Amino acid sequence: LRINRLALTNSLIMSITATTVGMVIYSLVSYVVTKSRYKGRRLLDLAAWVPWAVPSLVLGLGVLWAVLLSPLAILYGTLSVLILAHIVRGFPFGTQIMGSSMIQISRELEEAARIHKASWPSTFRRIWLPLVKNGFVAGWVIQFTVSFSDLATVAFLYGHKSTVLPTLFLSQWSNGRLEEAAVAALMMTVIVLAVVVLVRRLVLGSVRTTTVA
């Protein structure tokens, strides 16, 4: 029971952190690709697609070697490495969903903010993010469900203290403890559904409040 609780806590921390930090990074990358005049934006857009072409297991191995051959080796087996792997894995989808939202927004809004001497971080936070909120939330939910239940990406990266529900499921299944493995799988399914329902209600409640106001 204690291990299940640890795996559950680690899964929630990993998925929420990786998804939230990832979506912010994806938003910034999408802004550079779709709205900036940066010369390397096409190359950046192409690079964001690379994780899509690499199997999750191979991507996990790539992150493993990158960590072990760098000063970040001390982080091996921690949640930080798992979070990093999920952020990298989510780049293709995250940048595309945010890019499709940003490309519909007129550049004149940003120019108006600059005329009023707003800084770029303030413009991005107060203008861009509110306007792409729906895409951000949709991407967050999908990325969370993938991160929470993905086994292949983290199969070679977790340690004893950073076990998550997918790796716990694999361990129990391999050891013939099918009932415990079924419980871990059920926990993943229930939590993912609960998060989707909760976020949906929060978004609908926010929309209704805005409409009434």
Side-chain angles (χ1 to χ4, degrees):
L1 180 60
R2 181 175 61 85
I3 297 178
N4 286 343
R5 190 177 302 164
L6 174 63
L8 174 59
T9 302
N10 286 341
S11 292
L12 289 172
I13 294 174
M14 177 195 69
S15 300
I16 293 174
T17 304
T19 303
T20 304
V21 174
M23 287 305 299
V24 173
I25 296 175
Y26 308 151
S27 299
L28 294 173
V29 172
S30 298
Y31 173 85
V32 172
V33 172
T34 60
K35 295 298 180 179
S36 75
R37 294 187 175 90
Y38 175 58
K39 293 183 179 179
R41 64 184 184 278
R42 301 302 178 191
L43 183 61
L44 181 62
D45 186 30
L46 180 62
W49 277 98
V50 172
W52 197 277
V54 179
S56 297
L57 196 62
V58 177
L59 180 65
L61 283 172
V63 173
L64 172 62
W65 282 109
V67 169
L68 292 179
L69 297 177
S70 72
L72 297 177
I74 58 174
L75 297 178
Y76 172 69
T78 65
L79 283 178
S80 299
V81 176
L82 275 64
I83 290 170
L84 174 62
H86 281 299
I87 291 176
V88 173
R89 185 61 181 169
F91 254 97
F93 177 80
T95 53
Q96 289 306 306
I97 194 170
M98 293 307 299
S100 63
S101 298
M102 288 187 175
I103 203 171
Q104 303 177 46
I105 301 174
S106 174
R107 191 188 299 272
E108 282 74 13
L109 291 173
E110 183 176 1
E111 294 174 351
R114 290 181 178 176
I115 291 175
H116 288 82
K117 299 181 179 180
S119 63
W120 186 87
S122 178
T123 301
F124 187 82
R125 177 175 58 86
R126 301 180 64 179
I127 294 179
W128 284 103
L129 286 183
L131 291 175
V132 298
K133 179 178 65 175
N134 291 337
F136 189 96
V137 172
W140 192 97
V141 171
I142 296 175
Q143 289 292 95
F144 176 86
T145 60
V146 173
S147 297
F148 195 82
S149 58
D150 186 13
L151 170 61
T153 303
V154 300
F156 297 104
L157 301 174
Y158 76 101
H160 177 69
K161 294 183 179 180
S162 61
T163 184
V164 289
L165 286 177
T167 59
L168 178 65
F169 169 82
L170 176 64
S171 176
Q172 292 172 336
W173 183 273
S174 300
N175 293 326
R177 294 180 289 183
L178 303 185
E179 294 82 2
E180 297 180 14
V183 171
L186 180 61
M187 289 175 63
M188 286 189 285
T189 303
V190 171
I191 291 174
V192 166
L193 290 176
V195 169
V196 171
V197 171
L198 176 61
V199 173
R200 179 178 175 83
R201 288 189 175 183
L202 290 176
V203 171
L204 289 177
S206 176
V207 171
R208 289 172 182 172
T209 302
T210 305
T211 303
V212 172

